[in-house]
């Protein structure tokens, strides 16, 4: 227990370091360019505190529960001699963990015209199908870059036939699906599956599951857009808190807590029941391991409740308000550099980013440093938010940015070590988490509303942009590693590098 407290304090410190820069930017804007109501600012302060505490609890919970469960289920699943059963379990795991993803619920609530259950169901099926594809790739050793290029070619081909109202939502759904619940579980699941292979590329192939599971929701929502008749709903503006005193402001959080206690409980229930049944059948975990997992699930539950309450009550309104005020300025172009600064720092507050960085560091024995990953991700997200704001105020169609971006990412995949391609496409998924859905998306909606644009076609898509640019920056990091690796005679190696070669640097 003492060890847990020590680790928890370290997680709180890391969360504080991650969140304070974006909080500082918001305070700077509030005291200079965009004055806001005290009620909104106080809600943001309380939300920030809850976010920090929630991130600390969640990260510890992911280490104790979600990661071990994923590795356990992945390793045990591949021991079955019934191939159809393996594929069925993969599909069930992918669908169940997606339903548990809070990011998806946040996005679904902000999409007009489409019922929440329809979006969640379509995305869950998409992830389930593509987790099966990801497992087949690992078992049959299919090169990830070839598979991703083919899949994204199909995505852009499908986009020709998809209504505009569904297009941006489809790409955004691919980003939010891989959030704080999905990423630690799926990455650990991949590690468990890859563990049955003894070849030198097994560890490298454990990456890429998040990347493939991000494609499934895009295709699923595109197909949905071709057949689904919307209910004619319209965009509902985010409610801005208007309270007269601190007691009324706190009541906003008091009313929100029961909602998220219930929502997170319902979200965690499917994967908890699945694990319980799996354990009763296989009986591979001992009593000590079970206690750790149960404690981890409690930490995960409490962390997500506090995190989601903080970002939805405190962050979402201030993001939307700042967006509307900045979009109303005569010099609204200033939202582009401001958005880039926000994007640079906000990625550090994404819980799933820390999970990915840690796994990359561990599987490469520290050769790919956490700092290098973090900087590359921050630069990528910064560029993506700047481009998103440019797109909103100019009305540039999103495909004009996504097609060149993914084309460049595909070309880079032929020149970088395969492990960097896998990590890059995984990074695109983890970078677009709850902070993006609850702060950057409302910010974009506010700017779009003030600028007189179409919220569905212009504001939606910021998550997709955040998911795209890390594919380029992380692979550029891979080029840097490749250029550092030379033979003794000074000639560069021409073959791709695997994990073992990177570790030998």
């Amino acid at each position: 227990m003492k060890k847990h407290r020590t680790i928890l304090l370290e997680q709180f410190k890391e969360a504080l370091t991650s969140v304070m820069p974006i909080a500082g930017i918001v305070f700077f804007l509030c005291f200079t360019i965009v004055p806001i109501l005290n009620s909104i600012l106080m809600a943001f302060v309380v939300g920030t505190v809850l976010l920090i505490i929630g991130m600390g609890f969640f990260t510890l919970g992911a280490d104790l529960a979600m990661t071990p469960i994923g590795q356990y289920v992945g390793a045990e699943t591949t021991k079955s001699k019934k191939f159809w059963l393996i594929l069925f379990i993969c599909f069930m795991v992918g669908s169940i963990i997606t339903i548990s993803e809070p990011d998806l619920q946040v996005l679904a609530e902000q999409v007009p015209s489409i019922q929440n259950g329809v979006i969640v169901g379509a995305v869950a099926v998409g992830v389930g199908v593509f987790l099966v594809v990801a497992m087949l790739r690992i078992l049959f050793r299919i090169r990830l870059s070839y598979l991703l290029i083919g899949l994204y070619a199909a995505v852009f081909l499908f986009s020709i036939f998809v209504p505009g109202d569904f297009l941006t939502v489809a790409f955004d759904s691919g980003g939010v699906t891989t959030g704080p619940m999905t990423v630690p579980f799926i990455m650990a699941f991949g590690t468990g599956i890859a563990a049955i292979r003894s070849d030198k590329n097994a560890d490298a192939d454990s990456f890429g599951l998040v990347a493939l599971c991000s494609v499934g929701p895009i295709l699923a929502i595109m197909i949905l857009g071709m057949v689904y008749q919307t209910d004619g709903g319209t965009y509902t503006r985010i409610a801005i808190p208007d309270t007269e005193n601190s007691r009324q402001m706190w009541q906003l959080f008091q009313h929100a807590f029961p909602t998220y206690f219930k929502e997170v409980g319902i979200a965690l229930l499917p994967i908890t029941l699945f694990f319980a049944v799996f354990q009763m059948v296989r009986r591979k975990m001992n009593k000590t391991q079970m206690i750790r997992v149960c404690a981890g699930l409690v930490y995960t539950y409490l962390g997500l409740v506090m995190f989601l309450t903080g970002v939805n009550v405190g962050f979402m309104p201030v993001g939307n308000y700042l967006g509307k005020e900045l979009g109303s300025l005569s010099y609204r172009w200033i939202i582009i550099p401001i958005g880039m600064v926000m994007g640079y720092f906000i990625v550090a507050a994404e819980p799933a980013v820390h999970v990915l960085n840690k796994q990359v560091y561990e599987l490469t024995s520290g050769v790919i440093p956490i700092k290098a990953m973090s900087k590359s991700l921050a630069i990528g997200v910064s560029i993506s938010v700047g481009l998103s704001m440019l797109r909103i105020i100019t009305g540039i169609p999103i495909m004009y940015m996504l097609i060149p971006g993914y084309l460049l990412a595909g070309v880079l995949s032929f020149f970088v070590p395969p492990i960097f391609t896998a990590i890059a496409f995984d990074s695109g998924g983890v970078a677009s988490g709850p902070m993006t859905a609850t702060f950057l998306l409302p910010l974009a909606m506010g700017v779009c509303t003030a600028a007189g644009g179409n919220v569905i076609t212009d504001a939606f898509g910021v998550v997709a942009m955040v998911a795209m640019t890390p594919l380029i920056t992380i692979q550029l990091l891979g080029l840097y590693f490749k250029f550092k690796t030379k033979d003794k005679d000074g000639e560069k190696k021409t073959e791709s590098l695997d994990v073992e070669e990177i570790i030998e640097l």
Side-chain angles (χ1 to χ4, degrees):
M1 193 68 182
K2 184 178 180 180
K3 183 180 178 181
H4 287 184
R5 285 198 298 268
T6 302
I7 297 174
L8 186 58
L9 288 175
E10 292 176 357
Q11 302 295 358
F12 285 152
K13 182 179 178 181
E14 184 176 331
L16 180 65
T17 304
S18 300
V19 174
M20 288 314 294
I22 189 64
I25 294 170
V26 171
F27 278 120
F28 175 78
L29 291 173
C30 294
F31 295 143
T32 54
I33 302 174
V34 188
I36 67 173
L37 300 174
N38 288 334
S39 58
I40 303 176
L41 187 60
M42 284 305 300
F44 175 76
V45 171
V46 176
T48 300
V49 174
L50 289 174
L51 189 149
I52 292 170
I53 297 173
M55 278 184 65
F57 276 120
F58 169 79
T59 308
L60 178 60
D63 288 342
L64 294 177
M66 300 310 295
T67 299
I69 290 175
Q71 291 176 339
Y72 168 62
V73 174
E76 290 299 314
T77 296
T78 53
K79 292 180 181 179
S80 174
K81 295 181 180 179
K82 298 179 180 178
F83 195 61
W84 67 267
L85 181 61
I86 296 175
L87 299 183
F88 176 74
I89 291 176
C90 284
F91 176 79
M92 289 296 297
V93 166
S95 301
I96 289 172
I97 197 65
T98 301
I99 295 172
S100 303
E101 182 55 63
D103 291 8
L104 180 58
Q105 302 290 341
V106 172
L107 179 70
E109 290 174 1
Q110 297 181 74
V111 178
S113 305
I114 312 172
Q115 295 178 0
N116 291 12
V118 175
I119 293 179
V120 173
V123 170
V125 171
V127 174
V129 170
F130 274 78
L131 187 57
V132 172
V133 173
M135 181 178 178
L136 293 174
R137 182 193 77 84
I138 292 176
L139 295 179
F140 292 106
R141 307 180 188 185
I142 302 170
R143 179 160 176 165
L144 180 64
S145 58
Y146 297 157
L147 191 56
L148 286 172
I149 288 172
L151 288 172
Y152 276 104
V155 164
F156 289 117
L157 180 63
F158 264 82
S159 67
I160 300 173
F161 309 99
V162 178
D165 288 355
F166 279 86
L167 195 58
T168 51
V169 175
F171 279 98
D172 280 356
S173 67
V176 301
T177 301
T178 47
M181 279 292 293
T182 313
V183 168
F185 186 89
I186 286 184
M187 293 194 70
F189 186 76
T191 303
I193 294 174
I196 67 168
R197 284 172 41 188
S198 58
D199 62 286
K200 63 180 182 179
N201 292 321
D203 285 339
D205 280 347
S206 67
F207 294 104
L209 270 76
V210 174
L212 289 170
C213 289
S214 296
V215 181
I218 300 175
L219 288 172
I221 297 298
M222 283 183 170
I223 294 172
L224 181 68
M226 298 178 191
V227 299
Y228 183 76
Q229 297 295 321
T230 63
D231 58 13
T234 57
Y235 165 65
T236 303
R237 295 187 179 184
I238 296 170
I240 303 298
D242 184 13
T243 55
E244 296 180 357
N245 54 55
S246 57
R247 179 179 294 178
Q248 290 183 6
M249 184 273 298
W250 177 243
Q251 286 176 351
L252 295 175
F253 290 90
Q254 284 182 314
H255 293 152
F257 271 120
T259 300
Y260 292 108
F261 270 114
K262 180 181 177 180
E263 184 176 301
V264 175
I266 293 173
L268 278 174
L269 184 61
I271 193 63
T272 302
L273 291 177
F274 178 85
F275 168 68
V277 172
F278 202 88
Q279 170 64 11
M280 284 190 291
V281 174
R282 306 298 296 185
R283 297 184 181 276
K284 293 295 183 179
M285 278 194 175
N286 57 41
K287 184 177 179 180
T288 302
Q289 291 172 320
M290 286 295 298
I291 292 174
R292 282 174 56 87
V293 168
C294 290
L297 287 172
V298 173
Y299 283 130
T300 301
Y301 178 68
L302 294 175
L304 281 176
V305 168
M306 286 186 281
F307 185 93
L308 289 174
T309 303
V311 295
N312 280 281
V313 180
F315 269 68
M316 187 179 289
V318 78
N320 187 257
Y321 187 89
L322 286 175
K324 285 192 290 186
E325 294 300 310
L326 289 168
S328 300
L329 296 173
S330 58
Y331 48 97
R332 66 169 61 127
W333 56 265
I334 199 173
I335 189 61
I336 297 174
I338 289 175
M340 293 184 71
V341 175
M342 286 182 173
Y344 184 88
F345 289 106
I346 206 169
V347 68
E350 293 288 3
V353 167
H354 298 281
V355 176
L356 175 67
N357 287 347
K358 182 179 178 181
Q359 184 163 350
V360 171
Y361 182 82
E362 290 176 350
L363 289 181
T364 61
S365 299
V367 175
I368 304 178
I370 291 177
K371 186 176 181 180
M373 282 287 299
S374 299
K375 289 292 184 183
S376 300
L377 274 172
I379 292 171
V381 175
S382 174
I383 294 170
S384 67
V385 178
L387 290 174
S388 296
M389 297 306 159
L390 174 65
R391 189 176 71 83
I392 291 171
I393 63 178
T394 59
I396 299 174
I398 191 171
M399 301 307 289
Y400 287 12
M401 294 185 178
L402 289 181
I403 292 177
Y406 277 99
L407 183 61
L408 177 58
V411 171
L412 284 172
S413 69
F414 291 100
F415 300 96
V416 303
I419 187 174
F420 278 97
T421 298
I423 293 172
F425 278 84
D426 281 354
S427 299
V430 303
S432 50
M435 288 300 294
T436 303
T438 58
F439 186 82
L440 290 181
L441 182 55
L443 178 77
M445 288 177 171
V447 174
C448 188
T449 301
N454 185 322
V455 171
I456 301 301
T457 57
D458 296 337
F460 281 91
V462 64
V463 180
M465 294 294 294
V466 169
M468 179 191 71
T469 46
L471 315 185
I472 299 170
T473 55
I474 297 297
Q475 289 193 98
L476 290 176
L477 178 66
L479 279 179
Y480 169 74
F481 270 81
K482 187 174 182 179
F483 290 153
K484 279 184 62 178
T485 310
K486 298 180 179 180
D487 293 327
K488 292 182 180 180
D489 60 0
E491 293 182 1
K492 296 174 183 177
K493 290 184 177 181
T494 55
E495 70 275 12
S496 297
L497 304 177
D498 57 32
V499 177
E500 291 186 3
E501 288 175 313
I502 290 178
I503 292 175
E504 291 173 359
L505 289 175

